[in-house]
Amino acid sequence: MVQFYSPNRRSVNRGIISITADNLDAQGQGIARHQGKTIFIPGLLPGEQAQIQLTEEKRQFAKGKVVKRLSDSSHRVAPRCPHFNVCGGCQQQHVMAELQANTKASVLEHLIQRETGVRISAQPIIHSPEYGYRRRARLGLQYHTKQRTLLMGFRQSQTNDVVNIQHCPVLRPELEQLLPPLSQCLSRLNAAKRLGHVELVLADNGPLIVLRHLDPLKPEDKETLRTFSEQYHVAIYLQGEEKALHPLRAEQPAPWYQVGGLKLVFSPQDFIQVNDTVNQQMVAQALAWLDLQPTDRVLDLFCGMGNFTLPIATKVQAVVGVEGVAALVANGQYNAQLNALSNVDFFHENLESDIHQQPWAAQGFNKVLLDPARAGAAGVMAHIVKLAPKKVVYVSCNPTTLARDSKVLLAAGYRLVSVRMLDMFPHTGHLESMALFSREPRAIE
């Protein structure tokens, strides 16, 4: 549920009130009603009674904190992470996974119906493993001069303080097991006071680490890192002040992952989907919804390095991928060659500018896929309508912009055939989804 806050806070009644939560929002906050006002209470589940204190009050809603919980829901579970309630990475480990996913699906359905007037189910959900799903994570590094210690972890909720973590059960086990030795290794560096962050990535050919350092590393620090790399079989990349990546060892193989039976090589800086399990299902669902045929010409907008584009190419006459990041376009072209796909073209274009005169835009396409960032795809929706494709698949990381952009297709005569919630980030408030639009009379599930 989207909430809008104004900087002018109303006076808050500091008294204790008793409430019963009757719903949950996508962020994992309990929702209760008191004297006609909706109250959001972090940590409270539907059906639970509690004494709360209001922390913020507006004309339409208020926020509160639990003073004493008087009952427990059957959907309440013990968080697996020892850092839960301190670390800002997860907000919902106390909520049974099924309730988390169903709540997000309900929020998605409600938002689409409210904004478009279309009543549609976001089921069945594309599910994720509850834990051990993240193959990528960026950890902050913070040196405490007085204690002479280097903290490594995620930011504490609503602060810039780093929570020093030794365990992170949402990480893939291959990455989680690196946390204690990596923290010890970085603490021993002469440059420990001048480190920015460290990123962990699990490629299909092994884990890798990107270390952001603010000053040049001394030879002894590089040797310490080489020893760590060899001992734990990890590829290490250094990112200095110029922000370019440099492999610690020249013989390090390029990282890659597989999707749709293809091998995609990527740079550690490239965007790849964090949840591989959901990504595999998402790509398969998109291809099935598009009902790809050997004569199809497909346009893939915001294509990245070809996560959808290249699997599509194995089934159609031609596919064009358009992306605003030049490095991703170059990797897409490389991966097309690597997989011997000659029916793919990639273009580097700003999809927020006037696209109608671009060379790819003049081509004919009968099917379109788009996977925009959180800002959505307002700049290309009119052009998609102009192309008049039979089917459009929209992959979204922001339900608000999905609903907004859907209106353009609906107004042009498309039907919203199917919607699915993607459980890409269990235990968090992130809501991912995908939608199928069609101009054909028959629904494709």
Side-chain angles (χ1 to χ4, degrees), residues 71-238:
S71 64
D72 285 343
S73 166
S74 59
H75 291 104
R76 180 174 291 277
V77 294
R80 186 179 297 185
C81 180
H83 308 291
F84 183 69
N85 282 333
V86 181
C87 172
C90 295
Q91 302 83 38
Q92 301 189 41
Q93 286 193 22
H94 65 296
V95 186
M96 189 177 291
E98 183 180 9
L99 177 60
Q100 292 183 39
N102 287 336
T103 297
K104 291 179 184 179
S106 296
V107 169
L108 178 61
E109 292 168 9
H110 173 77
L111 180 61
I112 288 177
Q113 182 178 359
R114 187 187 70 194
E115 295 298 318
T116 68
V118 178
R119 187 181 184 91
I120 194 165
S121 172
Q123 301 275 359
I125 294 167
I126 292 182
H127 284 286
S128 163
E130 187 176 351
Y131 288 98
Y133 66 85
R134 285 196 72 105
R135 63 177 172 181
R136 185 172 209 141
R138 176 179 288 191
L139 305 173
L141 297 171
Q142 194 172 77
Y143 190 83
H144 281 199
T145 304
K146 290 184 179 180
Q147 293 85 2
R148 296 183 180 179
T149 57
L150 179 69
L151 304 182
M152 183 183 80
F154 297 108
R155 302 287 175 183
Q156 187 173 346
S157 179
Q158 298 182 340
T159 77
N160 287 322
D161 295 333
V162 168
V163 177
N164 196 40
I165 66 170
Q166 298 293 308
H167 302 282
C168 182
V170 298
L171 286 183
R172 289 282 297 270
E174 300 94 325
L175 298 182
E176 186 187 22
Q177 67 186 12
L178 292 174
L179 294 177
L182 177 60
S183 179
Q184 294 169 13
C185 173
L186 298 181
S187 296
R188 294 196 301 269
L189 299 182
N190 295 310
K193 297 179 183 179
R194 297 287 293 163
L195 300 177
H197 61 259
V198 63
E199 192 159 4
L200 306 180
V201 183
L202 183 62
D204 283 8
N205 56 330
L208 61 95
I209 291 171
V210 177
L211 178 62
R212 176 81 168 95
H213 54 95
L214 306 180
D215 295 331
L217 295 182
K218 295 181 177 180
E220 53 265 39
D221 280 353
K222 290 186 178 180
E223 187 58 35
T224 299
L225 292 170
R226 285 193 191 95
T227 301
F228 179 90
S229 172
E230 293 170 1
Q231 181 177 356
Y232 292 96
H233 308 288
V234 179
I236 296 180
Y237 294 80
L238 302 177

Side-chain angles (χ1 to χ4, degrees), residues 13 16-20 22 31-39 52 54 57 62:
N13 180 0
I16 304 299
I17 60 175
S18 296
I19 53 89
T20 300
D22 57 19
I31 303 174
R33 273 81 183 176
H34 181 74
Q35 295 181 349
K37 181 170 290 188
T38 300
I39 306 175
I52 69 166
L54 298 185
E57 191 167 7

Side-chain angles (χ1 to χ4, degrees), residues 187-350:
S187 296
R188 294 196 301 269
L189 299 182
N190 295 310
K193 297 179 183 179
R194 297 287 293 163
L195 300 177
H197 61 259
V198 63
E199 192 159 4
L200 306 180
V201 183
L202 183 62
D204 283 8
N205 56 330
L208 61 95
I209 291 171
V210 177
L211 178 62
R212 176 81 168 95
H213 54 95
L214 306 180
D215 295 331
L217 295 182
K218 295 181 177 180
E220 53 265 39
D221 280 353
K222 290 186 178 180
E223 187 58 35
T224 299
L225 292 170
R226 285 193 191 95
T227 301
F228 179 90
S229 172
E230 293 170 1
Q231 181 177 356
Y232 292 96
H233 308 288
V234 179
I236 296 180
Y237 294 80
L238 302 177
Q239 187 179 40
E241 187 176 5
E242 76 286 1
K243 294 189 178 182
L245 283 190
H246 302 283
L248 183 64
R249 296 185 296 171
E251 70 275 15
Q252 289 177 179
W256 54 270
Y257 74 93
Q258 289 184 309
V259 64
L262 304 175
K263 178 179 178 179
L264 274 64
V265 173
F266 65 95
S267 162
Q269 291 177 300
D270 288 346
F271 170 81
I272 62 170
Q273 292 289 353
V274 164
N275 191 323
D276 179 56
T277 301
V278 171
N279 185 53
Q280 301 290 340
Q281 298 178 75
M282 176 178 69
V283 171
Q285 179 67 87
L287 269 60
W289 272 357
L290 287 170
D291 189 26
L292 299 172
Q293 303 299 323
T295 56
D296 285 340
R297 293 182 53 81
V298 182
L299 177 64
D300 182 7
L301 300 172
F302 310 93
C303 68
M305 65 177 195
N307 186 61
F308 292 98
T309 325
L310 299 176
I312 288 172
T314 64
K315 300 178 180 297
V316 302
Q317 177 187 344
V319 58
V320 168
V322 186
E323 167 59 43
V325 179
L328 294 178
V329 171
N331 274 352
Q333 293 167 336
Y334 175 83
N335 284 314
Q337 296 174 0
L338 179 67
N339 290 280
L341 297 169
S342 59
N343 60 338
V344 187
D345 286 314
F346 285 92
F347 291 88
H348 173 221
E349 297 292 349
N350 177 9

